[in-house]
Amino acid sequence: MFTTHLKSTGTVLLLLVMQIAYTQSATPPRKKTYCNPLVSGQPALKRLSFSYEMQPRYGASTGFPSLPAPVSYTTNINLAHSIRIGYAKNLVVKPKLYMSFSAGYWFSSFNVINPDNNSFSQILSQSRFHSVSASTNIFKPLNNKNFLLLNVSLEANGNQRSFSRFSGDNILAGGAIIYGWKKSFKRMWGVGVFRGYRLGKVIHVPALLYNSSFNKKWGVDALLPARANFRYTRSPKTMWLFGYELDGTQFALRRPGSIYDNTFLQRGEIRPKIGLEKLIGKSWAFTLNAGIRINGRFDLSSDYAGKNIVVENDPAAALFVNAGLHIIKFPTGKKKK
């Protein structure tokens, strides 16, 4: 009887082991999920952009602090205008890695009313400023809630003569590294460090990323201190934007035979603005922005770091208006049957 009981117990144990093994083999391991860089309600990615901006007449106090007897003049600018061209492309879109590339060109010039008033006004009137940039964003999900965001950018900037004697003085490097959290498709935020020339001179500051959609109409996209925009989605094709951005960079300046040869124009602006973005069909978007340009820096320095100021300007606040046309989706040919 004991033998029979032992055999029964062994049979039960064997069946239990077989059941556990079957259960483990029948239940596949849980697949690890990862967060992504998308937040619902954000403006569409502009694949190719062309925009024009104008700033109407304003004056600037121009001083020469490096002279033995500093003097001050007034530089009157009748029109400052610029053209920007941009291109953006997603290079990698995978659950464990998102990588994008963007490139841009910025042309700007100043129509000075009284160029003979002082030597800087003359140089400013005769110069054309160019900026060529390239950058990449790398979004690395760590799990379904945390991520690392890395931005790296390079610029080649200067007036037309500086590009004919291109050197390391024309090159600027910037970027940001951010550690973040994303708990839903409506919100993401992160903290890190930002390096850039948005106010004409290199800065290293703490950075705060915050992208959020509060509801179907309202949201915000911000990378502080560089920019912040509140958005109101009036309809699927119309969005209003309210916010600010820091804009500017540093240009190498070449002017053989003058005190301005091998100097650097440091241009930076604080720009509160209101904007409209309108989708046109499925492939195009039109944007219109207007606001106030507040001077952050408009100086000429004899050194790359901007410590030795040759010319110091204090432009008055001025209006700006820009309009742009953008391709958000390139047309694709029909598939052959």
Side-chain angles (χ1 to χ4, degrees):
M1 183 175 179
F2 176 76
T3 305
T4 303
H5 180 72
L6 186 62
K7 288 182 177 180
S8 300
T9 303
T11 303
V12 172
L13 289 174
L14 179 61
L15 291 174
L16 182 60
V17 171
M18 292 176 63
Q19 177 64 30
I20 294 173
Y22 172 77
T23 302
Q24 290 179 342
S25 62
T27 305
R30 182 177 295 179
K31 187 176 181 180
K32 190 174 182 179
T33 58
Y34 297 90
C35 57
N36 62 58
L38 303 178
V39 171
S40 64
Q42 288 183 310
L45 174 69
K46 280 72 172 177
R47 299 291 304 277
L48 186 63
S49 300
F50 178 88
S51 62
Y52 170 78
E53 178 176 301
M54 61 173 292
Q55 298 176 9
R57 182 171 179 170
Y58 60 92
S61 173
T62 301
F64 296 80
S66 61
L67 293 179
V71 293
S72 181
Y73 299 90
T74 298
T75 299
N76 292 313
I77 298 172
N78 186 48
L79 178 67
H81 65 117
S82 65
I83 295 172
R84 296 186 193 239
I85 301 172
Y87 172 77
K89 180 179 177 60
N90 289 322
L91 299 179
V92 179
V93 181
K94 294 183 178 180
K96 295 183 180 182
L97 180 66
Y98 297 82
M99 185 175 178
S100 64
F101 169 80
S102 61
Y105 170 70
W106 176 24
F107 167 85
S108 57
S109 65
F110 300 85
N111 182 0
V112 181
I113 297 175
N114 55 338
D116 297 328
N117 185 36
N118 61 80
S119 57
F120 174 76
S121 294
Q122 187 177 44
I123 294 294
L124 186 65
S125 177
Q126 296 174 351
S127 295
R128 305 293 179 265
F129 299 95
H130 307 268
S131 174
V132 181
S133 62
S135 66
T136 182
N137 278 326
I138 301 173
F139 182 94
K140 174 61 179 175
L142 303 177
N143 48 52
N144 64 339
K145 293 183 179 180
N146 302 100
F147 63 87
L148 283 175
L149 177 62
L150 175 66
N151 171 267
V152 179
S153 64
L154 286 175
E155 299 179 30
N157 302 336
N159 68 337
Q160 63 270 36
R161 291 196 179 189
S162 74
F163 277 92
S164 65
R165 295 166 50 191
F166 192 85
S167 69
D169 288 343
N170 295 87
I171 303 297
L172 307 178
I177 182 168
I178 292 173
Y179 178 83
W181 295 261
K182 185 177 183 185
K183 296 185 177 181
S184 72
F185 65 93
K186 291 185 177 181
R187 184 175 295 107
M188 65 188 299
W189 69 281
V191 292
V193 179
F194 171 81
R195 169 192 166 94
Y197 289 78
R198 293 297 183 94
L199 287 179
K201 185 176 180 180
V202 65
I203 56 173
H204 298 85
V205 294
L208 172 63
L209 171 72
Y210 185 72
N211 298 332
S212 179
S213 291
F214 309 128
N215 50 49
K216 292 183 179 180
K217 295 290 186 179
W218 288 94
V220 62
D221 301 306
L223 178 58
L224 303 175
R227 62 180 181 273
N229 278 305
F230 288 91
R231 45 183 161 83
Y232 172 70
T233 304
R234 183 180 178 183
S235 69
K237 290 191 174 183
T238 304
M239 180 181 294
W240 288 94
L241 300 168
F242 316 84
Y244 84 93
E245 64 179 354
L246 304 183
D247 189 29
T249 190
Q250 177 173 289
F251 299 91
L253 189 63
R254 301 289 182 264
R255 187 72 173 184
S258 76
I259 63 171
Y260 302 113
D261 196 30
N262 297 317
T263 58
F264 302 88
L265 176 66
Q266 299 179 322
R267 178 184 180 185
E269 302 172 353
I270 307 164
R271 300 156 64 98
K273 63 177 183 175
I274 179 173
L276 170 68
E277 181 168 316
K278 182 77 173 179
L279 298 182
I280 305 172
K282 297 181 179 180
S283 302
W284 296 82
F286 170 77
T287 58
L288 181 65
N289 293 278
I292 300 175
R293 178 204 51 73
I294 302 170
N295 181 55
R297 183 174 286 107
F298 198 69
D299 300 334
L300 208 64
S301 173
S302 62
D303 67 314
Y304 189 93
K307 296 181 179 179
N308 300 316
I309 303 300
V310 178
V311 179
E312 190 172 38
N313 291 285
D314 186 17
L319 297 175
F320 73 87
V321 178
N322 67 53
L325 189 61
H326 318 269
I327 296 177
I328 59 176
K329 182 180 179 182
F330 288 112
T332 56
K334 296 182 178 180
K335 295 182 179 181
K336 295 182 180 180
K337 297 182 178 180

